[in-house]
Amino acid sequence: MKIAQIAPLYESIPPKMYGGTERIVYYLTEELIKQGHHVTLFASGDSRTNAELVSICDNSLRLNQQCVDPFAHHIVQLQLVQNRISEFDIVHYHTDYFHFPSSSLNKEVNHVTTVHGRLDIIDLQNVYTVFNGIPLISISNNQRIPIPYANWVGTVYHGLPFNLYKFYPSQGKYLAFLGRISPEKGVERAIEIAKRSGIKLIIAAKISNVDEIYFQTTIKPLLNNELIEFIGEIGEKEKGDFLGNAIALLFPIDWPEPFGIVMIESLACGTPVIGFNKGSVPEILTEGENGFIIDSIEAGVKAITNINSVDRAKCRAIFEEKFSAERMTNDYLKIYEQILKKKVFSNTVNY
């Protein structure tokens, strides 16, 4: 099968540091190639891939200080895709709704879009109402709730390569928080849970420009405690040891998280997850088997006291069964084949 993967340009494929969507595009692309498919990847020029790379910009946009308008690059990307669109059996977009107008006009083109972000934003309602024939893939069932009327053709949970992280059978000595500093990620909750538990918390997190004020005013004052250590953003090489040597990963989100890759990263290492009951968390975690689902700080403290009841080998086994890159890719291939054989979408535009 000839497949085009259309990646966001904010990070390289794979990302050098933080970048969930870009990592998933990378794992999917490489697994498709491994299974014998021809893949063309539309991405930034600093990407590394075994696919045919079509670069739109020399470097990823987040770390490019000369980039003022990232949308301009994405518009050019869409045109490059259009120039070659007849070459592909299917085009798989990971770039939100930017392509909807052009895709709705190309009625003979087989395409599908994985929606990677949150959908509970009022501005999005009209987009998905007008373009209600665009075939969409969700990354959790919970993600669909704000727009159930969209043309959902499947849910595909994210997956990671089996050998990306090794299994750590022994429990570590600290709690871990991994992700980015923002109000919805709930790092202040993690800090409070650690303080009440009397257990060290290590925070490995990215700080975006838009969250700098929040960090300075809300989070930084909380770091002045011997139990709390902030180490900043870490890369792929450091993640395994960081997660694998932890007692548990704290995932205290305060928003409808569409998936949360860090949860399956932790499970791959054998480290259980303690997550707030929001978004995809109940779909990823099974109470008492690979972690605990909580709804309060107090419940988080209690979960830590019971963490020894969770079998770290079971955490790894659940990862291998449900959240591997191979399983993810096979799920996507089933949807590709469904689209190719049955034409499950109509490209309808209602306006």
Side-chain angles (χ1 to χ4, degrees):
M1 194 182 301
K2 295 181 179 179
I3 305 166
Q5 296 290 335
I6 318 304
L9 302 175
Y10 300 105
E11 306 285 349
S12 61
I13 306 296
K16 296 177 177 63
M17 298 292 279
Y18 190 88
T21 298
E22 292 83 1
R23 290 178 61 208
I24 294 303
V25 174
Y26 175 70
Y27 301 140
L28 173 59
T29 296
E30 298 306 307
E31 183 63 28
L32 285 168
I33 293 170
K34 181 180 176 182
Q35 295 191 25
H37 300 280
H38 184 276
V39 183
T40 301
L41 175 64
F42 291 79
S44 62
D46 51 350
S47 298
R48 296 180 292 105
T49 179
N50 288 308
E52 176 190 352
L53 177 63
V54 178
S55 61
I56 288 78
C57 46
D58 292 337
N59 297 292
S60 53
L61 303 182
R62 182 171 76 90
L63 300 178
N64 182 358
Q65 296 181 350
Q66 295 181 333
C67 176
V68 177
D69 185 358
F71 299 123
H73 300 274
H74 284 93
I75 291 296
V76 174
Q77 180 189 50
L78 289 179
Q79 186 58 49
L80 293 182
V81 173
Q82 290 299 314
N83 291 346
R84 296 186 55 180
I85 206 160
S86 62
E87 301 176 21
F88 309 115
D89 296 312
I90 193 161
V91 181
H92 188 169
Y93 292 96
H94 302 268
T95 51
D96 292 326
Y97 48 82
F98 291 117
H99 69 95
F100 283 10
S102 59
S103 292
S104 67
L105 296 174
N106 293 325
K107 299 184 184 300
E108 301 304 315
V109 175
N110 296 306
H111 62 88
V112 70
T113 301
T114 295
V115 182
H116 290 269
R118 68 190 300 173
L119 296 174
D120 62 326
I121 300 172
I122 192 66
D123 304 285
L124 297 179
Q125 303 298 311
N126 205 31
V127 172
Y128 290 98
T129 299
V130 171
F131 296 98
N132 70 348
I134 300 290
L136 306 176
I137 298 174
S138 51
I139 56 177
S140 68
N141 294 323
N142 182 274
Q143 183 191 30
R144 299 183 181 193
I145 292 176
I147 52 170
Y149 49 81
N151 186 18
W152 298 109
V153 298
T155 291
V156 178
Y157 294 133
H158 288 337
L160 309 174
F162 283 119
N163 61 355
L164 184 62
Y165 298 112
K166 70 178 183 179
F167 172 55
Y168 291 72
S170 301
Q171 186 184 92
K173 297 182 179 181
Y174 58 86
L175 300 169
F177 177 96
L178 176 63
R180 58 184 170 88
I181 300 294
S182 63
E184 66 268 22
K185 292 295 185 177
V187 66
E188 64 271 33
R189 287 174 164 178
I191 292 171
E192 185 62 24
I193 290 171
K195 287 179 178 178
R196 294 194 192 185
S197 300
I199 299 175
K200 184 179 182 66
L201 171 69
I202 302 181
I203 302 169
K206 158 191 171 182
I207 306 173
S208 299
N209 292 336
V210 294
D211 294 311
E212 181 65 35
I213 294 177
Y214 167 74
F215 173 73
Q216 293 293 338
T217 59
T218 303
I219 301 303
K220 191 173 182 179
L222 301 178
L223 302 180
N224 187 24
N225 187 295
E226 61 181 6
L227 289 176
I228 312 302
E229 180 180 355
F230 178 75
I231 62 174
E233 185 175 6
I234 61 175
E236 197 68 61
K237 293 181 180 180
E238 297 85 12
K239 280 185 181 179
D241 284 343
F242 176 71
L243 291 170
N245 288 317
I247 298 170
L249 170 74
L250 297 184
F251 194 67
I253 56 169
D254 191 23
W255 72 302
E257 175 76 63
F259 187 82
I261 297 174
V262 67
M263 287 191 288
I264 63 172
E265 291 176 326
S266 186
L267 297 179
C269 296
T271 301
V273 180
I274 299 172
F276 269 67
N277 190 12
K278 298 274 189 177
S280 66
V281 169
E283 296 178 51
I284 310 303
L285 300 184
T286 301
E287 182 75 11
E289 290 193 13
N290 57 359
F292 295 99
I293 302 170
I294 62 174
D295 55 13
S296 66
I297 299 294
E298 293 75 18
V301 175
K302 182 178 179 181
I304 292 172
T305 63
N306 295 326
I307 205 69
N308 288 333
S309 66
V310 179
D311 185 350
R312 293 176 72 94
K314 179 70 172 178
C315 292
R316 173 70 190 193
I318 290 174
F319 158 74
E320 293 183 357
E321 177 186 358
K322 296 183 178 181
F323 303 112
S324 71
E326 182 179 3
R327 190 276 313 150
M328 173 181 69
T329 302
N330 290 337
D331 285 353
Y332 275 123
L333 284 169
K334 290 176 184 177
I335 294 175
Y336 295 168
E337 292 167 0
Q338 181 185 13
I339 290 174
L340 290 173
K341 292 179 180 178
K342 298 182 180 179
K343 292 286 186 178
V344 297
F345 61 97
S346 62
N347 276 345
T348 303
V349 177
N350 293 323
Y351 195 68

